[in-house]
Amino acid sequence: MSRARADEEEYWHSSKFRAFTFDDEDDELSQLKESKRAVNSLRDIVDDDDDDLERVSWSGEPVGSISWSIKETASSSTSSLEGRDSSLQKGSSSYAAFPKQVSSYSLSSLFKGEVPHTQCGQMTLSDTGVKNYAPELRRPKAEYKDYSSDWSPKDTVRRMQRGKICSLERFRSLQDKLVLLDEAVAGHDGNVITAVLIFLKRTLRREILFRELEVRQVALCHLIHFLKETGEQKLLLDLLRLCFFSLSLQLSQYCEHLNIQDVEKRREFLKGCIGLPFSGEDTSHIQDHYTLLERQIIIEANDRHLETAGQSEIFRKYPRKASILNMPLVTTLFYSCFYHYTEAEGTFSSPTNLKKTFKIPDKQYVLTALAARAKLRAWDDVDALFTTKNWLGYTKKKAPIGFHRVVEILQRNNAPVQVLQEYVRLVEDVETRLNLATKYKCHDVVIETYKDLKDRIQLTAYKCKVERGSAEEEKINSILNNMVRN
């Protein structure tokens, strides 16, 4: 037993490895001696140049070998990026996918084991280089244009309509911002208009913004709706107050034309009113007002010359009682239908030209033309006004205003009974037809209607209302006798 224990002690003491002892001082000294012997033993297999000494890592591989280079580079890259990755992940998730850094060592320095001091644990973000990562983050060239400052306002609006990211900060001057707003309105995209208005509200003074929106009614309505949705009551009240004041100012300025007596000056004033910031419908009315006055000036000058020269029969027979200047559109149409009814559409005084220019409805045109031609007792023109022809060539009478109104207008203009009866017969409603025929003494129409109804009693009663011995009485007697025989 003692022999085995003695052999074991001899084995441990004879080995190059030593057992654990609590004597730290002896242990450190022995490790230092052993390391010194190991380093001295390596000098025999390397060159005399101290800079080219081959070093051995703790894993036993020579420092500078290819396998060591790969492992050491990977480990250094990993350790240098771990701290950076953790900090970048806290700030922005877009940097979490950065690839690991590729070593920038040269092959000679790797094989020699030379590592620059700036790359050993003291590498900053600029040292590791965003440039090394830039190729991985590079976007296609087409997408770089999203962040370009070269887009025109029109191109910017188009890209916004497609959902692209476009910076509006490059539009710094007032003119560029207004062009951008006009392009957004022209694009008819409410989201783009609202986005541009938010940008203008943030970058323009309130007075300038309100002043420019006065002449841009579409953008103004969008801003009012946006302020209502966001609950910005103070700004909304200021905007509405300004709009109301502006509208009152515009109306008062437009009404100034009533105080201008000179026709040419009034025409020029109305031309200037077209540019006032009215709504689209009101602007259209002012435009029509200006066009009508311009047309009246031309017609008045021409008709005055014809009337003075006595070259037109209608002016000799029906002299003008007043000037056409500053008259309403309906009065101008009546004047045109009275004096210029047969003129070609290409002339300014033609009724059909007026109807087309000012988009006069068919009912209004027929009423006015009927009144004008009935006043002249031009019954052929009245008949042609209601006569239509279908695609088979058959003609029939059709009135967009109803034949009962035609009868009333003809009666006011003292139309003959024969003319009245022709249009009373065209009234579809029997009761209305009988009332009109009785009221305007269209006896033939009343007798024919009762005959169609086979109403013997009414025919007998109506016989008392006609003159004795007249043609109407004989007609009634003939109908009654035929009813008795049948």
Side-chain angles (χ1 to χ4, degrees):
M1 188 68 172
S2 60
R3 177 67 176 172
R5 187 171 184 179
D7 293 340
E8 185 178 355
E9 291 293 336
E10 183 180 359
Y11 168 77
W12 283 107
H13 287 288
S14 63
S15 174
K16 62 179 180 179
F17 299 104
R18 295 185 59 189
F20 176 79
T21 63
F22 290 96
D23 191 358
D24 295 336
E25 186 175 344
D26 293 341
D27 184 60
E28 290 179 358
L29 181 59
S30 61
Q31 288 181 4
L32 180 60
K33 290 179 180 180
E34 187 173 353
S35 299
K36 186 176 181 180
R37 285 195 299 271
V39 171
N40 292 333
S41 63
L42 290 174
R43 294 181 179 177
D44 298 336
I45 58 176
V46 298
D47 297 335
D48 294 336
D49 191 359
D50 292 339
D51 294 336
D52 295 333
L53 288 178
E54 184 178 14
R55 297 174 178 83
V56 179
S57 67
W58 291 109
S59 62
E61 296 176 351
V63 176
S65 65
I66 294 178
S67 60
W68 177 87
S69 302
I70 295 174
K71 293 180 179 180
E72 190 68 17
T73 303
S75 61
S76 63
S77 299
T78 303
S79 61
S80 63
L81 287 177
E82 282 176 353
R84 188 184 307 111
D85 289 343
S86 61
S87 62
L88 290 177
Q89 288 173 358
K90 295 178 180 179
S92 175
S93 61
S94 62
Y95 294 93
F98 279 176
K100 294 185 178 180
Q101 179 189 8
V102 179
S103 176
S104 59
Y105 305 154
S106 64
L107 289 176
S108 60
S109 61
L110 285 175
F111 288 134
K112 292 180 180 180
E114 297 176 355
V115 181
H117 177 69
T118 57
Q119 296 174 349
C120 297
Q122 298 181 2
M123 302 167 76
T124 62
L125 182 60
S126 60
D127 295 330
T128 58
V130 177
K131 295 180 180 180
N132 290 335
Y133 300 125
E136 300 294 335
L137 297 176
R138 187 173 296 130
R139 297 172 176 268
K141 292 184 178 180
E143 295 189 17
Y144 279 139
K145 296 180 180 179
D146 292 344
Y147 307 98
S148 173
S149 60
D150 297 333
W151 290 111
S152 65
K154 188 173 184 179
D155 293 334
T156 301
V157 170
R158 287 180 178 177
R159 297 187 67 82
M160 293 175 68
Q161 289 175 338
R162 295 197 297 266
K164 298 291 184 178
I165 299 176
C166 296
S167 175
L168 304 182
E169 301 297 333
R170 64 170 297 269
F171 300 102
R172 298 182 180 180
S173 67
L174 176 61
Q175 182 179 0
D176 290 343
K177 293 176 181 179
L178 296 179
V179 172
L180 178 65
L181 179 59
D182 293 337
E183 291 293 341
V185 173
H188 305 288
D189 191 321
N191 293 331
V192 176
I193 296 174
T194 304
V196 174
L197 286 172
I198 293 174
F199 169 67
L200 296 184
K201 185 171 73 73
R202 181 169 53 85
T203 57
L204 291 178
R205 291 206 309 268
R206 178 180 303 181
E207 296 80 8
I208 298 177
L209 178 61
F210 289 177
R211 182 191 67 197
E212 298 299 335
L213 289 180
E214 287 181 18
V215 295
R216 295 169 174 84
Q217 295 296 317
V218 175
L220 178 62
C221 293
H222 276 269
L223 182 59
I224 291 175
H225 181 73
F226 172 76
L227 295 178
K228 288 180 180 179
E229 293 292 329
T230 56
E232 300 182 51
Q233 296 297 330
K234 186 177 185 304
L235 184 60
L236 178 61
L237 291 176
D238 293 341
L239 182 60
L240 293 177
R241 190 179 299 111
L242 178 64
C243 291
F244 179 77
F245 172 76
S246 176
L247 181 60
S248 301
L249 182 64
Q250 295 159 20
L251 290 175
S252 62
Q253 185 174 355
Y254 171 69
C255 290
E256 284 294 323
H257 79 277
L258 298 175
N259 301 325
I260 302 175
Q261 300 299 326
D262 186 81
V263 179
E264 291 293 336
K265 291 182 178 179
R266 179 180 290 194
R267 182 176 67 87
E268 291 299 324
F269 182 84
L270 287 174
K271 186 177 181 180
C273 290
I274 296 175
L276 293 176
F278 286 103
S279 63
E281 185 178 359
D282 292 339
T283 302
S284 178
H285 290 327
I286 297 175
Q287 177 69 55
D288 288 343
H289 189 175
Y290 167 75
T291 305
L292 178 62
L293 181 58
E294 193 174 37
R295 185 74 59 87
Q296 289 173 346
I297 293 174
I298 297 173
I299 296 174
E300 175 68 19
N302 184 55
D303 290 356
R304 184 182 300 168
H305 173 73
L306 292 175
E307 187 177 24
T308 303
Q311 299 176 357
S312 178
E313 181 181 355
I314 191 170
F315 286 109
R316 291 196 305 268
K317 190 174 182 179
Y318 300 98
R320 299 189 308 156
K321 296 181 179 180
S323 171
I324 193 62
L325 295 176
N326 301 318
M327 292 296 176
L329 176 59
V330 176
T331 305
T332 305
L333 179 61
F334 181 90
Y335 178 93
S336 180
C337 291
F338 193 92
Y339 289 105
H340 304 280
Y341 189 74
T342 59
E343 290 186 5
E345 185 179 345
T347 61
F348 285 147
S349 55
S350 170
T352 53
N353 190 301
L354 289 173
K355 177 186 177 183
K356 184 177 180 180
T357 301
F358 298 99
K359 300 179 177 59
I360 300 175
D362 289 338
K363 289 184 177 182
Q364 183 65 60
Y365 178 79
V366 170
L367 278 172
T368 307
L370 173 62
R373 303 318 292 173
K375 192 173 185 66
L376 289 172
R377 305 182 70 81
W379 309 122
D380 291 338
D381 292 339
V382 172
D383 187 71
L385 190 63
F386 301 107
T387 302
T388 60
K389 183 180 293 186
N390 60 16
W391 63 279
L392 291 175
Y394 296 104
T395 59
K396 67 175 183 178
K397 285 185 170 57
K398 181 179 179 181
I401 58 175
F403 283 107
H404 64 285
R405 298 195 64 184
V406 175
V407 172
E408 293 174 355
I409 294 173
L410 292 176
Q411 196 277 333
R412 284 200 300 266
N413 287 278
N414 301 317
V417 176
Q418 293 79 8
V419 176
L420 280 177
Q421 287 187 150
E422 181 180 356
Y423 289 96
V424 170
R425 287 189 179 99
L426 296 174
V427 177
E428 295 183 359
D429 185 71
V430 176
E431 185 177 355
T432 305
R433 188 195 312 155
L434 285 173
N435 291 335
L436 289 173
T438 303
K439 180 179 179 181
Y440 301 130
K441 297 181 178 181
C442 298
H443 301 303
D444 289 343
V445 177
V446 176
I447 295 171
E448 291 172 1
T449 303
Y450 286 142
K451 177 184 176 181
D452 294 336
L453 295 174
K454 298 179 180 181
D455 194 336
R456 183 181 177 87
I457 297 176
Q458 292 295 337
L459 275 174
T460 304
Y462 194 75
K463 180 180 176 180
C464 301
K465 297 180 181 180
V466 299
E467 294 182 4
R468 288 184 176 273
S470 63
E472 289 79 9
E473 185 180 23
E474 293 180 1
K475 188 174 182 179
I476 294 173
N477 291 330
S478 176
I479 296 172
L480 291 174
N481 293 332
N482 291 331
M483 286 182 178
V484 172
R485 293 173 185 174
N486 295 334

